[in-house]
Amino acid sequence: MNEDLILDLLSGNLLYLLGAVLLIIIVLKGIKIVPQSEKYVVERFGRLHSVLGPGINFIVPFLDVARHKISILERQLPNATQDAITKDNVLVQIDTSVFYRILEPEKTVYRIRDVDGAIATTVAGIVRAEIGKMDLDEVQSNRAQLIARIQESVESAVDDWGIEVTRAEILDVNLDQATRDAMLQQLNAERARRAEVTKAEGQKRAVELNADAELYAAEQTAKARRIQAEAEAYATEVVAKAIRENGIEAAQYQVALKQVESLTALGKGEGKQTILVPAHALEAFGNAFNLLKGGK
């Protein structure tokens, strides 16, 4: 009896149950919850209808279909190595890495099939073109400028795909062994040249300093001689003035003073224990003492 009752209830309310199930399915089909890191591309009858952003979104059930779920997180292409020839005909191998993210999924979905492959091919061509405009030394020294130019060119090329290139890096610039040996020889030659230049400049500076020192010594010697000559001239002038004022006695006084000084210096000489003085020298010595004492 209970089974018959249940069957009667189900048969009488089957339509309502089907309606409830259909309503639940419609609600589930019409609500789309999009994660923060993704965007959904919605198609209606096979054509682009809308792009759903993060959060709760509503669509028309059974008509609208979230056909593509695109991650908007930043991505990194696998590191790539490509050959390039510089402006001065040197073969180099460039290791590059590119980071990008999708800003407009509708462009990425409907305009390009293999995003990573397309970007990698574009980067390789741009790197070869930019390297061909620069000498090897410029590639080595202006890497930041080269990276900026590559990133700008890549951004312009992938703009139609709804992609933003966030970073482009040159990881390494590799040379073949022959080029490395030639660069090493050039570097050693440059170091040797700088050493020779430094040595020559040092020698030149030493000569200049020696010349300055000799010139300074000559100037000081000339200055000393000038002062000595001025002193002797002054002394001669004083003696001459004394002779004019005091007559011959002043001259005799000066002669006597010189004689006493000479004999005194002779007596102080090393190894001179005995001094032989002529008679007229003794007479002159006595006269000198008399003059110094003020005697006549």
Side-chain angles (χ1 to χ4, degrees), residues 257-273 275 285:
L257 181 61
K258 294 295 183 180
Q259 290 176 344
V260 172
E261 291 176 353
S262 299
L263 293 174
T264 302
L266 183 63
K268 292 180 179 180
E270 295 180 0
K272 303 295 191 295
Q273 301 299 329
I275 302 174
F285 185 72

PDB file of all heavy atoms in Angstrom, residues 257-273 275 285:
ATOM      1  N   LEU A 257     142.942  93.061  11.764  1.00  0.00           N
ATOM      2  CA  LEU A 257     141.879  92.140  12.161  1.00  0.00           C
ATOM      3  C   LEU A 257     141.921  90.868  11.309  1.00  0.00           C
ATOM      4  O   LEU A 257     141.788  89.745  11.825  1.00  0.00           O
ATOM      5  CB  LEU A 257     140.523  92.831  12.025  1.00  0.00           C
ATOM      6  CG  LEU A 257     139.299  91.986  12.426  1.00  0.00           C
ATOM      7  CD1 LEU A 257     139.392  91.578  13.895  1.00  0.00           C
ATOM      8  CD2 LEU A 257     138.020  92.785  12.189  1.00  0.00           C
ATOM      9  N   LYS A 258     142.151  91.012  10.033  1.00  0.00           N
ATOM     10  CA  LYS A 258     142.240  89.848   9.155  1.00  0.00           C
ATOM     11  C   LYS A 258     143.447  88.990   9.509  1.00  0.00           C
ATOM     12  O   LYS A 258     143.375  87.749   9.463  1.00  0.00           O
ATOM     13  CB  LYS A 258     142.322  90.291   7.685  1.00  0.00           C
ATOM     14  CG  LYS A 258     141.071  90.961   7.162  1.00  0.00           C
ATOM     15  CD  LYS A 258     139.916  89.996   7.135  1.00  0.00           C
ATOM     16  CE  LYS A 258     138.679  90.643   6.534  1.00  0.00           C
ATOM     17  NZ  LYS A 258     137.542  89.682   6.501  1.00  0.00           N
ATOM     18  N   GLN A 259     144.583  89.629   9.857  1.00  0.00           N
ATOM     19  CA  GLN A 259     145.766  88.862  10.225  1.00  0.00           C
ATOM     20  C   GLN A 259     145.523  88.031  11.482  1.00  0.00           C
ATOM     21  O   GLN A 259     145.883  86.857  11.560  1.00  0.00           O
ATOM     22  CB  GLN A 259     146.951  89.804  10.423  1.00  0.00           C
ATOM     23  CG  GLN A 259     147.449  90.429   9.122  1.00  0.00           C
ATOM     24  CD  GLN A 259     148.575  91.435   9.356  1.00  0.00           C
ATOM     25  OE1 GLN A 259     148.789  91.880  10.487  1.00  0.00           O
ATOM     26  NE2 GLN A 259     149.291  91.801   8.291  1.00  0.00           N
ATOM     27  N   VAL A 260     144.882  88.658  12.464  1.00  0.00           N
ATOM     28  CA  VAL A 260     144.598  87.928  13.710  1.00  0.00           C
ATOM     29  C   VAL A 260     143.664  86.759  13.441  1.00  0.00           C
ATOM     30  O   VAL A 260     143.849  85.653  13.947  1.00  0.00           O
ATOM     31  CB  VAL A 260     144.005  88.895  14.749  1.00  0.00           C
ATOM     32  CG1 VAL A 260     143.510  88.102  15.979  1.00  0.00           C
ATOM     33  CG2 VAL A 260     145.046  89.919  15.171  1.00  0.00           C
ATOM     34  N   GLU A 261     142.629  86.992  12.629  1.00  0.00           N
ATOM     35  CA  GLU A 261     141.685  85.909  12.316  1.00  0.00           C
ATOM     36  C   GLU A 261     142.370  84.771  11.575  1.00  0.00           C
ATOM     37  O   GLU A 261     142.106  83.596  11.834  1.00  0.00           O
ATOM     38  CB  GLU A 261     140.529  86.453  11.478  1.00  0.00           C
ATOM     39  CG  GLU A 261     139.615  87.405  12.267  1.00  0.00           C
ATOM     40  CD  GLU A 261     138.541  88.001  11.378  1.00  0.00           C
ATOM     41  OE1 GLU A 261     138.594  87.769  10.149  1.00  0.00           O
ATOM     42  OE2 GLU A 261     137.626  88.687  11.890  1.00  0.00           O
ATOM     43  N   SER A 262     143.296  85.115  10.649  1.00  0.00           N
ATOM     44  CA  SER A 262     143.993  84.074   9.887  1.00  0.00           C
ATOM     45  C   SER A 262     144.879  83.246  10.787  1.00  0.00           C
ATOM     46  O   SER A 262     144.920  82.011  10.688  1.00  0.00           O
ATOM     47  CB  SER A 262     144.824  84.712   8.768  1.00  0.00           C
ATOM     48  OG  SER A 262     143.981  85.415   7.877  1.00  0.00           O
ATOM     49  N   LEU A 263     145.657  83.914  11.675  1.00  0.00           N
ATOM     50  CA  LEU A 263     146.521  83.175  12.582  1.00  0.00           C
ATOM     51  C   LEU A 263     145.726  82.311  13.548  1.00  0.00           C
ATOM     52  O   LEU A 263     146.136  81.191  13.886  1.00  0.00           O
ATOM     53  CB  LEU A 263     147.427  84.155  13.337  1.00  0.00           C
ATOM     54  CG  LEU A 263     148.475  84.887  12.477  1.00  0.00           C
ATOM     55  CD1 LEU A 263     149.216  85.928  13.308  1.00  0.00           C
ATOM     56  CD2 LEU A 263     149.459  83.883  11.893  1.00  0.00           C
ATOM     57  N   THR A 264     144.606  82.830  14.005  1.00  0.00           N
ATOM     58  CA  THR A 264     143.761  82.040  14.923  1.00  0.00           C
ATOM     59  C   THR A 264     143.247  80.784  14.226  1.00  0.00           C
ATOM     60  O   THR A 264     143.261  79.684  14.798  1.00  0.00           O
ATOM     61  CB  THR A 264     142.585  82.889  15.414  1.00  0.00           C
ATOM     62  OG1 THR A 264     143.097  84.056  16.067  1.00  0.00           O
ATOM     63  CG2 THR A 264     141.716  82.098  16.380  1.00  0.00           C
ATOM     64  N   ALA A 265     142.784  80.939  12.971  1.00  0.00           N
ATOM     65  CA  ALA A 265     142.292  79.786  12.222  1.00  0.00           C
ATOM     66  C   ALA A 265     143.402  78.786  11.941  1.00  0.00           C
ATOM     67  O   ALA A 265     143.191  77.569  11.978  1.00  0.00           O
ATOM     68  CB  ALA A 265     141.658  80.240  10.901  1.00  0.00           C
ATOM     69  N   LEU A 266     144.631  79.301  11.693  1.00  0.00           N
ATOM     70  CA  LEU A 266     145.757  78.419  11.442  1.00  0.00           C
ATOM     71  C   LEU A 266     146.102  77.617  12.686  1.00  0.00           C
ATOM     72  O   LEU A 266     146.447  76.442  12.629  1.00  0.00           O
ATOM     73  CB  LEU A 266     146.962  79.241  10.972  1.00  0.00           C
ATOM     74  CG  LEU A 266     148.218  78.462  10.601  1.00  0.00           C
ATOM     75  CD1 LEU A 266     147.944  77.560   9.425  1.00  0.00           C
ATOM     76  CD2 LEU A 266     149.364  79.440  10.266  1.00  0.00           C
ATOM     77  N   GLY A 267     145.975  78.243  13.835  1.00  0.00           N
ATOM     78  CA  GLY A 267     146.296  77.540  15.071  1.00  0.00           C
ATOM     79  C   GLY A 267     145.284  76.470  15.429  1.00  0.00           C
ATOM     80  O   GLY A 267     145.589  75.506  16.129  1.00  0.00           O
ATOM     81  N   LYS A 268     144.063  76.586  14.951  1.00  0.00           N
ATOM     82  CA  LYS A 268     143.022  75.601  15.262  1.00  0.00           C
ATOM     83  C   LYS A 268     143.019  74.424  14.300  1.00  0.00           C
ATOM     84  O   LYS A 268     142.231  73.515  14.457  1.00  0.00           O
ATOM     85  CB  LYS A 268     141.645  76.262  15.236  1.00  0.00           C
ATOM     86  CG  LYS A 268     141.441  77.259  16.365  1.00  0.00           C
ATOM     87  CD  LYS A 268     140.060  77.867  16.282  1.00  0.00           C
ATOM     88  CE  LYS A 268     139.836  78.850  17.431  1.00  0.00           C
ATOM     89  NZ  LYS A 268     138.491  79.447  17.357  1.00  0.00           N
ATOM     90  N   GLY A 269     143.874  74.434  13.293  1.00  0.00           N
ATOM     91  CA  GLY A 269     143.875  73.353  12.310  1.00  0.00           C
ATOM     92  C   GLY A 269     144.308  72.035  12.899  1.00  0.00           C
ATOM     93  O   GLY A 269     145.060  71.993  13.872  1.00  0.00           O
ATOM     94  N   GLU A 270     143.814  70.941  12.345  1.00  0.00           N
ATOM     95  CA  GLU A 270     144.149  69.607  12.837  1.00  0.00           C
ATOM     96  C   GLU A 270     145.594  69.261  12.488  1.00  0.00           C
ATOM     97  O   GLU A 270     146.054  69.517  11.378  1.00  0.00           O
ATOM     98  CB  GLU A 270     143.203  68.569  12.214  1.00  0.00           C
ATOM     99  CG  GLU A 270     141.756  68.767  12.640  1.00  0.00           C
ATOM    100  CD  GLU A 270     140.862  67.737  12.020  1.00  0.00           C
ATOM    101  OE1 GLU A 270     141.386  66.889  11.275  1.00  0.00           O
ATOM    102  OE2 GLU A 270     139.633  67.771  12.285  1.00  0.00           O
ATOM    103  N   GLY A 271     146.299  68.628  13.442  1.00  0.00           N
ATOM    104  CA  GLY A 271     147.671  68.171  13.226  1.00  0.00           C
ATOM    105  C   GLY A 271     148.683  69.293  13.217  1.00  0.00           C
ATOM    106  O   GLY A 271     149.807  69.098  12.791  1.00  0.00           O
ATOM    107  N   LYS A 272     148.338  70.487  13.673  1.00  0.00           N
ATOM    108  CA  LYS A 272     149.249  71.639  13.687  1.00  0.00           C
ATOM    109  C   LYS A 272     149.647  71.909  15.130  1.00  0.00           C
ATOM    110  O   LYS A 272     149.074  72.756  15.801  1.00  0.00           O
ATOM    111  CB  LYS A 272     148.577  72.881  13.072  1.00  0.00           C
ATOM    112  CG  LYS A 272     148.089  72.666  11.647  1.00  0.00           C
ATOM    113  CD  LYS A 272     149.257  72.415  10.724  1.00  0.00           C
ATOM    114  CE  LYS A 272     148.829  72.474   9.274  1.00  0.00           C
ATOM    115  NZ  LYS A 272     147.896  71.387   8.949  1.00  0.00           N
ATOM    116  N   GLN A 273     150.567  71.094  15.639  1.00  0.00           N
ATOM    117  CA  GLN A 273     151.024  71.291  17.014  1.00  0.00           C
ATOM    118  C   GLN A 273     152.063  72.406  17.109  1.00  0.00           C
ATOM    119  O   GLN A 273     152.164  73.084  18.123  1.00  0.00           O
ATOM    120  CB  GLN A 273     151.663  69.985  17.544  1.00  0.00           C
ATOM    121  CG  GLN A 273     150.703  68.810  17.526  1.00  0.00           C
ATOM    122  CD  GLN A 273     149.494  69.036  18.392  1.00  0.00           C
ATOM    123  OE1 GLN A 273     149.589  69.736  19.398  1.00  0.00           O
ATOM    124  NE2 GLN A 273     148.372  68.463  17.998  1.00  0.00           N
ATOM    125  N   ILE A 275     153.760  75.839  15.013  1.00  0.00           N
ATOM    126  CA  ILE A 275     153.534  76.795  13.936  1.00  0.00           C
ATOM    127  C   ILE A 275     154.780  77.649  13.785  1.00  0.00           C
ATOM    128  O   ILE A 275     155.247  78.252  14.764  1.00  0.00           O
ATOM    129  CB  ILE A 275     152.317  77.688  14.232  1.00  0.00           C
ATOM    130  CG1 ILE A 275     151.065  76.824  14.424  1.00  0.00           C
ATOM    131  CG2 ILE A 275     152.088  78.688  13.123  1.00  0.00           C
ATOM    132  CD1 ILE A 275     149.849  77.622  14.854  1.00  0.00           C
ATOM    133  N   PHE A 285     151.811  90.737  13.615  1.00  0.00           N
ATOM    134  CA  PHE A 285     150.850  90.234  14.611  1.00  0.00           C
ATOM    135  C   PHE A 285     150.811  91.168  15.821  1.00  0.00           C
ATOM    136  O   PHE A 285     149.747  91.492  16.354  1.00  0.00           O
ATOM    137  CB  PHE A 285     151.262  88.816  15.010  1.00  0.00           C
ATOM    138  CG  PHE A 285     150.278  88.148  15.928  1.00  0.00           C
ATOM    139  CD1 PHE A 285     149.034  87.721  15.447  1.00  0.00           C
ATOM    140  CD2 PHE A 285     150.575  87.948  17.266  1.00  0.00           C
ATOM    141  CE1 PHE A 285     148.144  87.117  16.298  1.00  0.00           C
ATOM    142  CE2 PHE A 285     149.666  87.350  18.104  1.00  0.00           C
ATOM    143  CZ  PHE A 285     148.445  86.918  17.630  1.00  0.00           C
TER     144      PHE A 285
END
